[in-house]
Amino acid sequence: MVVSGYVFKNKGANFVPRIDEGDAVVTIRRAPSINLEEAKRLDLLVQKTLFQFPEVITTLAMTGRAEVAIDPVGKDTNDTFVRLKPKKEWTTAKDLDGLSVAFKDALEREVPSTFFSISQPIEDRTNEMISGSRADVQIMITGTDLLELKRVSEAIRDAVKGIAGTGDVRVERVLGMPELTVKPDRARLARYGVHMEDALLAIEAARVGMPLGWVYEGQKRFETRLLVPPRAPVPEALGDLLVETDDGHRVPLSEVATITEAEGPAQIRRENRVRIVRVEVNLRGRDLLSWVTDAQIAVDDKVVLPSGYEIQWSGQFENFERASKRLAVVVPIALALIFGMLLWNFGDVRYAISVFAVVPFALTGGMVGLILRDMEFSIPAAVGFIALAGVAVLNGVVLATDVRHALHEGGHFDSALVKGSVHTMRAVLTTGAVAALGFLPMALATGAGSEVQRPLATTVVFGIGASTLMTMFLLPAILKITLRREQKAQLHAHPHHHPVVATTARE
């Protein structure tokens, strides 16, 4: 039990096993200043590169989204859905992690100025709905200054990208959106006799239009605006717009204001009213818990946080922590209820302790099963361990009850142990076989979604096999230790009595 527990602990843990969906999605991030024509050209180049792989059947690229609350993104964001052939026909790689690496290497080599992340369609959206990020791990830095957040996030990126199992690493783009800044000059405004409001209205008319009134068509109502756009989105063109003075003359906007072209924030993300920047990481060939543990150590050693800034670890890791905390409460309560029911059933703490002592030994089978099948600990596996504990207790109750009945009939202590064990063997084996055979199809399943149910079924199938043997061989020994007082009482009452164990066994 100790050896299997040590080996199993070192295998790491995941929230839920990764489901093999059979398709892939390439998430693309570009500069916020990109226009639609260039984005389209790069999308076609991405699809052309993907079609070089024999595993690809079709591709579908989607650039930007409608500006609705559920998914507002711009032309700098693209999702390319890739339909793949069955895995048995793959030649580039044997699994999705290997194919993802091949996709990314080819795309980064062929397509310029682009960041790529390879995932799966359902997994991608599920991560985003749960944590707001499509990545497996989301490292959130909270603070006040965007430039400082950018510096810290880049330092975290450099600290974690060399850790084994790191796949795609992306720092959320903070800056990069081109903008025109207009600063009215009060001295020049006064010299020309231009009101500040008039200068700002000229800018409003150029950007969003000035409201003039409403147009009615039956029950429909439409707002009317006057839009005076510059001839081009450059400082010179914006400066040529005219502003009216007090005496009715017009002067160019550039004469009364300073117009500069600069780079502003592409987006400002907040959570709980605090600015955040995210570092997103997708894992390749490694479990979630061990990677996060190594990443946290690396970040603590290499990244210095200014005062007022914090790091939060989110994504699937946050889900795993939340579920682990719930299990830390639920499992002790369940075990306490089991022990309480044992105590209520037997009315003797020694029998309750004996039956309950089989539970940790029964868990050994589940751990060995996961080790042999190269599976990490996960929430489905945890559910399997809970179910396994229940079956182990059930078999223990059957055997201990029969042993107790034999002792109450006045049989010799050792004979009662053997008789009770032999008499209940058929019931214990039947109970274990029914439960194990019921979960066996789930343990051997290979269809879509089977990755989630396999750890649970594996834990139960292997665990029941081990718990049945543990119950038959260990529980009688444990009962002999805990019921030593009855044994001594019988020896004092019948000092010359020798049980015929062979005859009892044949019976």
Side-chain angles (χ1 to χ4, degrees):
M1 181 180 68
V2 172
V3 171
S4 61
Y6 176 78
V7 175
F8 185 63
K9 180 182 178 182
N10 291 334
K11 285 188 67 63
N14 285 309
F15 176 57
V16 291
R18 190 180 190 184
I19 299 176
D20 188 356
E21 301 174 23
D23 294 321
V25 59
V26 181
T27 303
I28 304 172
R29 298 290 187 271
R30 303 188 178 99
S33 58
I34 193 170
N35 59 33
L36 188 58
E37 290 73 20
E38 180 65 9
K40 179 180 178 181
R41 186 186 72 82
L42 293 177
D43 290 346
L44 294 175
L45 184 56
V46 166
Q47 296 182 78
K48 181 180 178 181
T49 304
L50 290 173
F51 274 118
Q52 296 175 3
F53 293 89
E55 292 82 2
V56 176
I57 300 176
T58 59
T59 61
L60 173 64
M62 297 191 299
T63 296
R65 299 285 191 281
E67 293 184 358
V68 294
I70 57 173
D71 203 1
V73 296
K75 298 183 290 295
D76 58 320
T77 300
N78 170 277
D79 288 335
T80 300
F81 293 91
V82 184
R83 185 183 174 195
L84 302 173
K85 293 180 180 179
K87 188 173 292 187
K88 61 183 179 181
E89 300 179 23
W90 291 8
T91 57
T92 305
K94 296 181 179 180
D95 56 17
L96 183 61
D97 286 342
L99 189 62
S100 298
V101 172
F103 280 173
K104 187 170 184 178
D105 291 342
L107 290 170
E108 289 179 343
R109 185 174 57 251
E110 300 291 337
V111 184
S113 304
T114 301
F115 171 83
F116 298 97
S117 175
I118 316 296
S119 183
Q120 301 181 104
I122 300 176
E123 177 186 18
D124 203 51
R125 287 300 179 184
T126 302
N127 288 343
E128 187 175 29
M129 286 189 295
I130 293 175
S131 63
S133 171
R134 301 184 184 185
D136 296 330
V137 180
Q138 178 183 222
I139 309 171
M140 299 192 302
I141 306 95
T142 63
T144 55
D145 185 76
L146 283 178
L147 294 178
E148 188 64 21
L149 287 172
K150 181 175 182 293
R151 183 196 67 79
V152 174
S153 61
E154 290 175 346
I156 292 176
R157 175 200 62 193
D158 296 337
V160 304
K161 67 180 181 181
I163 298 175
T166 304
D168 310 316
V169 184
R170 172 182 175 264
V171 176
E172 191 172 38
R173 190 180 294 275
V174 178
L175 304 175
M177 181 66 71
E179 66 180 17
L180 294 177
T181 303
V182 182
K183 295 182 178 180
D185 188 323
R186 292 184 179 273
R188 286 189 284 172
L189 286 170
R191 186 182 309 126
Y192 284 100
V194 177
H195 295 283
M196 174 76 75
E197 182 182 2
D198 293 336
L200 297 178
L201 287 176
I203 300 171
E204 181 182 357
R207 180 65 183 92
V208 297
M210 295 179 58
L212 297 180
W214 300 89
V215 176
Y216 294 88
E217 292 182 3
Q219 296 184 2
K220 298 179 181 179
R221 186 178 65 170
F222 304 94
E223 185 181 15
T224 304
R225 285 179 173 266
L226 174 63
L227 183 65
V228 187
R231 65 179 186 274
V234 294
E236 295 78 12
L238 186 61
D240 290 340
L241 296 176
L242 299 177
V243 182
E244 189 173 359
T245 64
D246 285 339
D247 56 8
H249 293 86
R250 294 180 180 180
V251 296
L253 181 62
S254 59
E255 293 294 327
V256 295
T258 301
I259 305 174
T260 57
E261 189 172 7
E263 187 179 84
Q267 64 177 359
I268 300 178
R269 188 182 299 275
R270 297 178 184 270
E271 188 167 306
N272 296 327
R273 302 182 303 280
V274 180
R275 288 180 175 179
I276 65 171
V277 173
R278 304 183 301 189
V279 180
E280 300 174 334
V281 184
N282 282 332
L283 306 185
R284 298 274 189 270
R286 190 175 181 185
D287 69 282
L288 178 69
L289 184 61
S290 64
W291 186 93
V292 172
T293 301
D294 291 348
Q296 289 175 335
I297 295 173
V299 170
D300 290 339
D301 292 341
K302 300 178 181 179
V303 180
V304 179
L305 281 180
S307 177
Y309 290 74
E310 295 181 357
I311 297 177
Q312 300 175 11
W313 299 77
S314 184
Q316 291 285 3
F317 177 71
E318 183 183 14
N319 300 330
F320 178 82
E321 278 196 323
R322 188 186 302 114
S324 299
K325 290 179 181 178
R326 289 183 180 177
L327 287 175
V329 176
V330 172
V331 172
I333 292 177
L335 294 178
L337 289 174
I338 291 174
F339 184 79
M341 295 177 69
L342 289 174
L343 193 60
W344 173 74
N345 179 67
F346 289 108
D348 190 330
V349 68
R350 295 171 300 171
Y351 282 95
I353 292 175
S354 299
V355 174
F356 195 77
V358 180
V359 173
F361 293 101
L363 303 183
T364 303
M367 291 188 290
V368 171
L370 293 174
I371 293 171
L372 293 177
R373 302 197 69 185
D374 194 25
M375 297 178 179
E376 297 90 3
F377 176 80
S378 60
I379 301 305
V383 176
F385 280 119
I386 296 174
L388 180 59
V391 176
V393 168
L394 173 63
N395 289 337
V397 168
V398 173
L399 191 149
T401 301
D402 209 275
V403 170
R404 186 185 188 188
H405 181 70
L407 286 174
H408 287 175
E409 287 182 346
H412 188 272
F413 185 81
D414 290 338
S415 300
L417 285 178
V418 175
K419 181 180 179 181
S421 301
V422 173
H423 186 260
T424 57
M425 180 180 294
R426 182 180 300 174
V428 171
L429 290 177
T430 302
T431 303
V434 169
L437 290 175
F439 280 92
L440 188 61
M442 294 172 60
L444 301 178
T446 58
S450 60
E451 294 86 356
V452 176
Q453 64 187 22
R454 275 204 300 265
L456 188 155
T458 299
T459 302
V460 174
V461 171
F462 280 84
I464 286 178
S467 69
T468 302
L469 294 177
M470 297 290 184
T471 301
M472 298 305 301
F473 288 96
L474 284 183
L475 184 55
I478 295 174
L479 287 171
K480 186 170 184 178
I481 294 173
T482 56
L483 300 178
R484 192 175 301 169
R485 188 170 60 185
E486 279 82 352
Q487 185 179 19
K488 290 181 179 179
Q490 283 193 354
L491 289 176
H492 287 300
H494 307 284
H496 303 293
H497 181 73
H498 299 282
V500 184
V501 177
T503 303
T504 305
R506 284 197 302 271
E507 292 174 356

